[in-house]
């Protein structure tokens, strides 16, 4: 197995302290938003044998296993991250596989450079993802029931929000949600900026359920995404709890440290809380206008102490082992590729001692045992 040396991405919304604290190093004073573990070409993990991309390209079947290669192709189909949000991320959705392929082919046909700021589809893959909290973790996930969203907006006492409140009382619910999100994103920018300013002042004054939106508005003054965010469920995860974000589900992470895993894709359509391109027609084509609760996941017990976060997709499977002092070694050998990540304590796997934030890549079929006292997350595929 290979110890991984991983890149930390300095996105502006990143916490300046959370990842350094996990790693036990001094903060640099700069944001440290995500640590990437995997074979994404944008920031592949490094090993003693070269980058993980180079290692896998040299012998895909040896590293990934014949079954995984047959199912997903000669590449690692997931990307594992530690994510540290010190400020809200953009409000966004991801396409399903058919939409991603169609959108990618269309933009390729039209000759839009992959690096262009107005390009929506960087690749032809979908991007389901799972976030598991390591600390208390705040996020937005999926639409509230329209009447609940109407009550929240109405409670602000802002006259310019009344048309949205009225729209949310219409039927059917999916049409009401579509109409109000469309109206928010296509409103006159100056009028919307005034509405957001009034709403932000009311949120600050009222506090309670409105406090998260006051904070969002502080980071994104005048952004229509502040009002769009109030259509969504606010959820606070406790350590060990998780959210699964499937295709078309609007979401945003607000604050906290977590382990994130996703299909290996860059496809994001933004709804707001960003200076980046917002393609409203394409966004409305992708969003699933379905109300429901956020669907907090808790791990399910499996044999040998493994706790699995069950999801409906095959590109990734995330689980964890919480090992008390004196635990006998657990055999983690598997016919699929794995990344093992320590997030607490100190654990040994093979010749490697892992402390928080350290990880290894385990090729398919290679003997892997873990022992010690700590928490280990295991990322692999269903194949």
């Amino acid at each position: 197995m290979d110890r991984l040396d991983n890149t930390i991405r300095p996105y502006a919304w990143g916490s300046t302290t959370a990842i350094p604290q996990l790693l036990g190093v001094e903060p640099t004073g700069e944001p440290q938003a995500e640590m990437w573990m995997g074979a994404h070409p944008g920031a592949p993990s490094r090993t003693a044998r070269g980058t993980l991309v180079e290692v896998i390209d040299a012998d895909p079947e040896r590293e990934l296993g014949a079954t995984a290669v047959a199912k997903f192709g000669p590449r690692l189909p997931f990307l594992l991250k530690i994510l540290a949000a010190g400020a809200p991320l953009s409000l966004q959705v991801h396409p399903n596989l058919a939409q991603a392929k169609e959108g990618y082919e269309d933009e390729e046909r039209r000759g839009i450079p992959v690096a262009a700021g107005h390009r929506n589809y960087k690749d032809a893959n979908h991007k389901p993802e799972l976030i598991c909290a390591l600390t208390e973790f705040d996020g937005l996930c999926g639409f509230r029931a329209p009447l609940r969203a109407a009550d929240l907006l109405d409670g602000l006492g802002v006259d310019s929000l009344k048309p949205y409140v009225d729209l949310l009382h219409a039927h059917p619910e999916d049409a009401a949600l579509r109409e109000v999100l469309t109206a928010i994103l296509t409103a006159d920018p100056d009028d919307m900026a005034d509405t957001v300013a009034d709403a932000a002042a009311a949120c600050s004054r009222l506090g309670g359920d409105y406090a998260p939106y006051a904070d969002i508005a502080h980071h994104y003054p005048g952004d229509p995404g502040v009002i769009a965010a109030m259509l969504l469920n606010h959820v606070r995860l406790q350590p060990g709890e998780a959210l699964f974000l499937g295709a078309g589900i609007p979401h945003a992470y607000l604050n906290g440290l977590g382990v994130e895993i996703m299909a290996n894709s860059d496809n994001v359509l933004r709804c707001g809380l960003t200076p980046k391109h917002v393609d409203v027609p394409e966004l409305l084509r992708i969003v699933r206008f379905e109300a429901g609760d956020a669907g907090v996941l808790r791990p399910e017990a499996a044999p040998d102490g493994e706790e699995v976060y069950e999801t409906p997709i095959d590109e990734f499977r995330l689980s964890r082992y919480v090992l008390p002092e004196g635990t006998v070694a657990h055999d983690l050998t598997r016919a699929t590729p794995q990344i093992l990540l320590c997030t607490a304590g100190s654990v040994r796997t093979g010749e490697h001692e892992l402390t928080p934030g350290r990880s290894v890549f385990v090729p398919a079929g290679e003997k892997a045992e873990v022992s010690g006292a700590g928490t280990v997350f295991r990322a692999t595929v269903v194949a």
Side-chain angles (χ1 to χ4, degrees):
M1 65 183 70
D2 299 277
R3 180 183 287 273
L4 298 180
D5 178 17
N6 304 303
T7 297
I8 296 176
R9 309 307 293 261
Y11 305 137
W13 50 261
S15 167
T16 58
T17 59
I19 289 178
Q21 184 175 359
L22 180 73
L23 296 174
V25 300
E26 287 296 316
T28 64
E30 299 299 318
Q32 297 190 22
E34 296 179 347
M35 185 169 75
W36 288 21
M37 291 158 280
H40 192 286
S45 298
R46 298 170 294 278
T47 78
R49 297 188 285 158
T51 70
L52 198 53
V53 170
E54 293 166 343
V55 169
I56 291 170
D57 284 350
D59 194 345
E61 289 204 2
R62 164 69 185 89
E63 304 297 334
L64 305 177
T67 303
V69 170
K71 189 169 186 177
F72 304 111
R75 62 187 186 92
L76 190 67
F78 65 81
L79 176 63
L80 184 66
K81 300 179 180 180
I82 292 175
L83 182 145
L89 283 67
S90 61
L91 191 61
Q92 60 190 260
V93 297
H94 306 303
N96 63 31
L97 190 56
Q99 291 164 340
K101 288 180 177 178
E102 180 183 347
Y104 179 78
E105 290 169 0
D106 174 65
E107 290 184 327
E108 286 288 284
R109 193 163 46 246
R110 290 190 284 140
I112 301 174
V114 172
H118 63 291
R119 174 121 183 188
N120 294 315
Y121 298 95
K122 311 296 186 186
D123 52 69
N125 199 18
H126 63 165
K127 193 187 176 188
E129 60 189 44
L130 177 79
I131 184 78
C132 177
L134 295 177
T135 64
E136 279 197 345
F137 193 98
D138 281 70
L140 305 172
C141 180
F143 287 107
R144 299 176 187 267
L147 293 182
R148 288 182 54 227
D151 288 344
L152 194 70
L153 292 175
D154 199 32
L156 292 172
V158 175
D159 288 343
S160 53
L161 291 175
K162 297 296 185 184
Y164 305 140
V165 173
D166 293 341
L167 283 172
L168 288 166
H169 281 91
H171 293 283
E173 287 192 348
D174 58 345
L177 290 168
R178 177 181 288 275
E179 284 194 45
V180 74
L181 183 62
T182 302
I184 290 168
L185 297 180
T186 57
D188 178 82
D190 292 334
D191 291 343
M192 178 53 69
D194 291 339
T195 296
V196 172
D198 292 342
C203 287
S204 296
R205 183 179 68 254
L206 293 167
D209 289 345
Y210 292 97
Y213 308 101
D215 185 64
I216 291 170
H218 169 74
H219 289 284
Y220 298 99
D223 193 304
V226 174
I227 307 303
M230 298 183 75
L231 303 178
L232 306 187
N233 297 298
H234 172 251
V235 60
R236 174 165 292 171
L237 300 177
Q238 297 304 309
E241 294 180 333
L243 290 173
F244 173 71
L245 293 314
I249 303 298
H251 62 278
Y253 303 145
L254 304 181
N255 187 271
L257 181 71
V259 173
E260 185 183 35
I261 190 168
M262 63 189 63
N264 209 346
S265 171
D266 272 339
N267 288 326
V268 176
L269 289 110
R270 295 174 177 85
C271 315
L273 310 183
T274 179
K276 295 181 180 179
H277 177 60
V278 177
D279 184 336
V280 175
E282 185 66 7
L283 172 73
L284 296 174
R285 189 177 78 88
I286 300 302
V287 171
R288 286 168 51 189
F289 291 95
E290 300 172 2
D293 63 32
V296 174
L297 291 177
R298 295 172 181 85
E300 298 183 13
D304 196 29
E306 188 180 25
E307 299 176 328
V308 182
Y309 293 91
E310 296 288 354
T311 68
I313 54 97
D314 292 344
E315 281 88 344
F316 62 76
R317 176 185 184 272
L318 186 70
S319 62
R320 69 174 185 175
Y321 289 82
V322 180
L323 307 175
E325 191 71 49
T327 301
V328 298
H330 290 273
D331 185 358
L332 274 59
T333 306
R334 212 178 148 88
T336 52
Q338 304 181 72
I339 292 177
L340 305 179
L341 165 68
C342 177
T343 59
S346 177
V347 299
R348 173 163 288 278
T349 179
E351 62 184 18
H352 303 291
E353 191 78 25
L354 299 183
T355 53
R358 272 64 184 189
S359 55
V360 294
F361 173 72
V362 185
E366 183 164 318
K367 180 72 172 178
E369 289 187 338
V370 63
S371 60
T375 300
V376 178
F377 280 84
R378 177 197 219 184
T380 186
V381 302
V382 179

